[in-house]
Amino acid sequence: MSPVIEPGATIGVLGSGQLGRMFAIAARRMGYRVHTFSPDDDTPTGQVADREFQAPYEDLDAVRRFAAGVQVITFEFENIPLETVEAAAALAPVRPGGQVLYTTQNRLREKQFLSEAGFPVVPFAPVASLGELTAALERLGTPAVLKTAGWGYDGKGQVKIDSPTQAAAAWQTVDTPQAVLEGFIDFACEVSVVAARGLDGQMVDYGAIENAHARHILDVSVSPASVAPDVARRAVEIAHRVLERLDVVGVLCVEFFVRRDGQLLINELAPRPHNSGHLTFDACVTSQFEQQLRAICGLPLGATDLLRPAAMANLLGDLWADGEPNWAAACRFPHVKLHLYGKQSARPGRKMGHLTALANSPQEAVEMVRAARTALLSGR
Ligand code: AMP
């Protein structure tokens, strides 16, 4: 039997957010069918999928019904219970495999894996009590950042500690049985590498993408990053080694802090397409979503060439505070592309969409995408 899952086949997506939506768009474009599974309905993924299964992840009978109707399963959200993945994997291959999810869905396990494998990580200590936090603060010093080990993203479940006197309050704030204390890194910039690995081990990447965060949430990404070529090369090398070491089939993003001396430290891994790679949808020969599709279907991976320098700006729910944004004003920028995820309610901090700008230089792309975003608030 050919290991290739051909167009016409049905792909299952666990999770139903914007990453699944963009994956489904890429998959449908290539003639695949898409089923999505999550506890919600009328979801960003469900709106463009052929079929939307709505059930709790813990409903393993529903998971099996979903898995029985697809040829391969991937996920767009890593906080899926392992039992769900195992139940699904008994009926269809899950790519990347459950071991990738197991390692990356818990900050502590991820950091232990990375440091034991010799990858450069932010100095960290496991913390399971106020006593352990006090001891860890003595060892790592302040400032430091206390983060929950599980279920954290976009700065949720983390608190900065500027002095040991704040330990008790911080421990109360994270309110979790298992946390990780990290040294606070005074970085020059943040970069990420989105890379894909095929069923046969072939690997491709999108080089270093530079990321700016606001309130711990990704704000603007730009490609190529403004780091020295040697820094970008090392980031890519590390990312490839992480994919190999974790035996990833699919897409994985490695987020780095770049220190002022050029040293790279891994902040975290995401075993799926990443927000910083959204610009690949408009700016690269093959998007990160098509790459995920090709990898999990056993197809050869596509070229990752960046057609033009590009920047992406997230559109958070805050933009809706005074009513619907002025979409026409952003569309007046002819080199800016608008992506909206079809979410019904715009809460502050919620990712509702993004803009991508293509330009002659990375700086120009950043200026353009910021100007287009500002224009959304004009003349309403
Ligand atoms: P995270 O959700 O852990 O990726 O954190 C979101 C953002 O918070 C990062 O991209 C950084 O901008 C900032 N941050 C998180 N951890 C640290 C740290 N140890 N040192 C400095 N900044 C951090």
Side-chain angles (χ1 to χ4, degrees):
M1 199 182 80
S2 156
V4 174
I5 295 166
E6 308 272 0
T10 305
I11 317 281
V13 180
L14 289 167
S16 61
Q18 62 269 20
L19 301 174
R21 180 186 183 89
M22 288 182 268
F23 172 83
I25 291 170
R28 292 191 70 153
R29 193 169 71 171
M30 279 179 60
Y32 289 89
R33 292 181 175 274
V34 178
H35 291 179
T36 176
F37 185 104
S38 83
D40 306 310
D41 77 334
D42 191 25
T43 58
T45 310
Q47 290 165 11
V48 295
D50 293 84
R51 229 182 126 182
E52 182 168 42
F53 287 70
Q54 184 192 9
Y57 291 119
E58 293 74 19
D59 182 347
L60 299 186
D61 286 333
V63 171
R64 287 186 197 103
R65 280 197 295 279
F66 158 78
V70 301
Q71 276 73 61
V72 62
I73 295 169
T74 190
F75 45 85
E76 65 98 54
F77 165 69
E78 62 265 39
N79 290 327
I80 309 259
L82 270 188
E83 306 74 63
T84 306
V85 175
E86 278 161 12
L91 293 158
V94 178
R95 295 175 183 151
Q99 89 290 348
V100 179
L101 207 65
Y102 177 77
T103 306
T104 54
Q105 69 184 194
N106 179 285
R107 238 182 243 288
L108 181 57
R109 266 201 302 268
E110 177 178 297
K111 284 186 192 302
Q112 281 167 338
F113 154 76
L114 288 168
S115 69
E116 278 161 22
F119 291 107
V121 288
V122 176
F124 72 97
V127 167
S129 66
L130 178 55
E132 284 185 18
L133 175 58
T134 309
L137 280 167
E138 253 169 57
R139 195 156 69 75
L140 296 183
T142 52
V145 189
L146 185 64
K147 302 183 178 180
T148 54
W151 309 92
Y153 64 96
D154 287 345
K156 291 190 174 67
Q158 50 180 281
V159 45
K160 188 165 173 231
I161 303 178
D162 290 308
S163 124
T165 57
Q166 297 167 351
W171 183 241
Q172 234 176 13
T173 305
V174 296
D175 185 28
T176 179
Q178 183 65 64
V180 183
L181 185 74
E182 291 179 10
F184 185 81
I185 307 302
D186 177 28
F187 51 77
C189 68
E190 293 182 83
V191 299
S192 56
V193 176
V194 175
R197 185 163 173 270
L199 207 50
D200 60 357
Q202 180 199 1
M203 282 195 283
V204 295
D205 65 78
Y206 294 92
I209 298 171
E210 189 167 344
N211 303 314
H213 291 77
R215 291 180 294 144
H216 298 283
I217 304 175
L218 183 63
D219 184 37
V220 171
S221 293
V222 57
S223 179
S226 67
V227 294
D230 167 59
V231 172
R233 190 184 46 74
R234 279 188 286 122
V236 164
E237 265 172 29
I238 291 172
H240 282 222
R241 280 196 281 126
V242 170
L243 269 87
E244 266 177 344
R245 190 74 195 226
L246 275 173
D247 196 18
V248 171
V249 174
V251 169
L252 181 134
C253 174
V254 185
E255 290 182 67
F256 296 93
F257 297 130
V258 185
R259 295 196 111 143
R260 289 171 204 288
D261 61 1
Q263 192 198 351
L264 287 161
L265 295 172
I266 297 180
N267 172 27
E268 63 180 0
L269 309 180
R272 48 164 173 76
H274 188 255
N275 195 167
S276 62
H278 287 1
L279 54 79
T280 64
F281 215 154
D282 299 303
C284 294
V285 173
T286 311
S287 74
Q288 61 171 349
F289 304 102
E290 182 178 332
Q291 218 70 270
Q292 179 186 19
L293 174 75
R294 286 172 176 244
I296 66 168
C297 289
L299 290 169
L301 303 179
T304 55
D305 308 35
L306 183 69
L307 302 171
R308 294 185 73 189
M312 184 279 328
N314 269 333
L315 305 179
L316 301 185
D318 311 58
L319 284 167
W320 275 251
D322 295 319
E324 193 69 15
N326 184 348
W327 303 120
C331 292
R332 254 171 234 130
F333 291 76
H335 293 94
V336 168
K337 308 289 284 183
L338 170 65
H339 296 251
L340 288 171
Y341 307 147
K343 295 183 183 177
Q344 302 306 323
S345 58
R347 291 190 297 276
R350 189 172 197 207
K351 291 175 181 169
M352 303 297 291
H354 68 269
L355 298 172
T356 307
L358 306 185
N360 292 323
S361 71
Q363 293 80 350
E364 194 192 331
V366 170
E367 282 161 24
M368 199 190 290
V369 85
R370 285 187 186 280
R373 187 169 59 180
T374 303
L376 289 173
L377 298 175
S378 65
R380 293 183 301 169

